[in-house]
Amino acid sequence: MPTVRDVRSKAGEEPITMLTAYDAPTASIVDEAGVDIILVGDSLGNTTLGHETTLPVTVDDMARHTGAVARATEDALIVADMPFLSIGVDEAASVENAGRMLKEEDAHAVKLECGPHTVDLTKKLVQLGIPVMAHLGLTPQHVNQYGGYPRQGTDQEAAARILELAEAHEDAGAFSLVLEHVPSNLAAEVTDAIDIPTIGIGAGPDCDGQVLVVDDAVGLSEWTPSFSKQFGDVRGEMESAIDDYVSAVESGEFPAAEHGHEESDLEELY
């Protein structure tokens, strides 16, 4: 079974690879490709459930999708995102929600969108045996506070706050840190300042690893952020295949004789 120790020991060696997955077929493909970490992200609100933001995603949503991903994988470390208001309001509820992802859905760790309020919670979770991946920079659950999804850490004060929180979460026991949509020189400084691995998304090349939303990476999304890259055209392939299917049905080409069978022993029913 993969462990957080494996991730921590890889820091400083070859870069860590992380992708999201939200269902069993995708998770199986990602796992077979040798990706180190699969994040069951609350981004499933946008990619899978049709929401405009991640805010409507529930603990039940995350549990259901985390279980599907875990059942389809063997080698990757499975990290479950904790959705909006599932942590930080009440400590007991936070522990119960996070623990559910490991106890019932076979995740190996949870990810928290972090701030000053998650330092003590990180320490508590780790003490109870729930590994924590921290997340700083652009935290999409704060979309209403940000007024969108702007780059974070762009002035001296904001950058210093991110560095301080990174160190605080490392001290609290987090095993890794996602840095999202921050200046590359800030990400490099944070990476140098802490011993746990950093995993960047829109944070430049100097992190210990990289993560993308799988829909963006394979070219399934209609729109991708500027810091992402499409490594395929799955959307185009699907559109072409579905167009071909519709045409084949409408023309009578499908189904053909080889797509069905006749039973010779059946008598006429009328």
Side-chain angles (χ1 to χ4, degrees):
M1 183 184 77
T3 67
V4 297
R5 188 186 300 273
D6 297 330
V7 174
R8 294 191 64 161
S9 65
K10 192 172 182 181
E13 300 177 2
E14 60 183 279
I16 297 165
T17 55
M18 184 162 96
L19 277 175
T20 65
Y22 316 105
D23 57 64
T26 304
S28 178
I29 294 169
V30 173
D31 190 45
E32 290 175 4
V35 171
D36 297 309
I37 305 171
I38 295 178
L39 172 65
V40 189
D42 65 353
S43 48
L44 69 87
N46 311 87
T47 63
T48 306
L49 302 181
H51 298 302
E52 292 186 0
T53 72
T54 64
L55 301 187
V57 177
T58 67
V59 174
D60 285 344
D61 290 333
M62 291 308 308
R64 186 179 302 110
H65 288 269
T66 296
V69 167
R71 288 189 290 272
T73 57
E74 296 181 2
D75 298 322
L77 188 82
I78 308 302
V79 179
D81 232 344
M82 298 309 302
F84 183 57
L85 295 184
S86 66
I87 57 99
V89 178
D90 173 80
E91 184 180 271
S94 299
V95 171
E96 182 178 1
N97 290 333
R100 177 181 175 185
M101 301 303 164
L102 278 67
K103 186 178 179 68
E104 299 180 13
E105 307 301 340
D106 290 331
H108 304 115
V110 297
K111 181 174 77 64
L112 311 182
E113 291 197 6
C114 292
H117 65 292
T118 56
V119 175
D120 289 341
L121 176 59
T122 295
K123 185 175 182 179
K124 181 67 173 180
L125 293 175
V126 172
Q127 287 174 339
L128 291 171
I130 303 172
V132 172
M133 173 182 284
H135 179 172
L136 292 170
L138 175 60
T139 46
Q141 291 173 17
H142 291 80
V143 58
N144 289 330
Q145 181 178 337
Y146 296 150
Y149 301 98
R151 184 178 289 108
Q152 299 295 304
T154 56
D155 60 56
Q156 197 68 30
E157 181 180 353
R161 185 162 56 248
I162 288 173
L163 176 56
E164 179 182 355
L165 284 171
E167 293 173 331
H169 283 84
E170 178 184 33
D171 291 343
F175 74 93
S176 61
L177 169 66
V178 171
L179 288 170
E180 181 170 357
H181 209 23
V182 300
S184 57
N185 50 334
L186 171 58
E189 185 173 347
V190 171
T191 300
D192 287 341
I194 61 178
D195 292 328
I196 60 174
T198 58
I199 299 173
I201 176 168
D206 294 318
C207 294
D208 296 300
Q210 298 293 326
V211 59
L212 284 178
V213 170
V214 69
D215 298 57
D216 296 341
V218 302
L220 182 57
S221 304
E222 289 188 89
W223 170 87
T224 56
S226 60
F227 54 72
S228 186
K229 180 178 179 179
Q230 291 185 333
F231 294 86
D233 184 20
V234 170
R235 188 178 187 87
E237 289 293 327
M238 289 181 68
E239 289 173 342
S240 176
I242 293 169
D243 283 346
D244 289 347
Y245 163 74
V246 171
S247 296
V249 171
E250 291 177 344
S251 69
E253 178 185 350
F254 178 83
E258 65 266 25
H259 302 122
H261 73 282
E262 293 185 359
E263 183 56 63
S264 58
D265 291 338
L266 283 179
E267 298 179 357
E268 290 187 9
L269 300 179
Y270 295 97

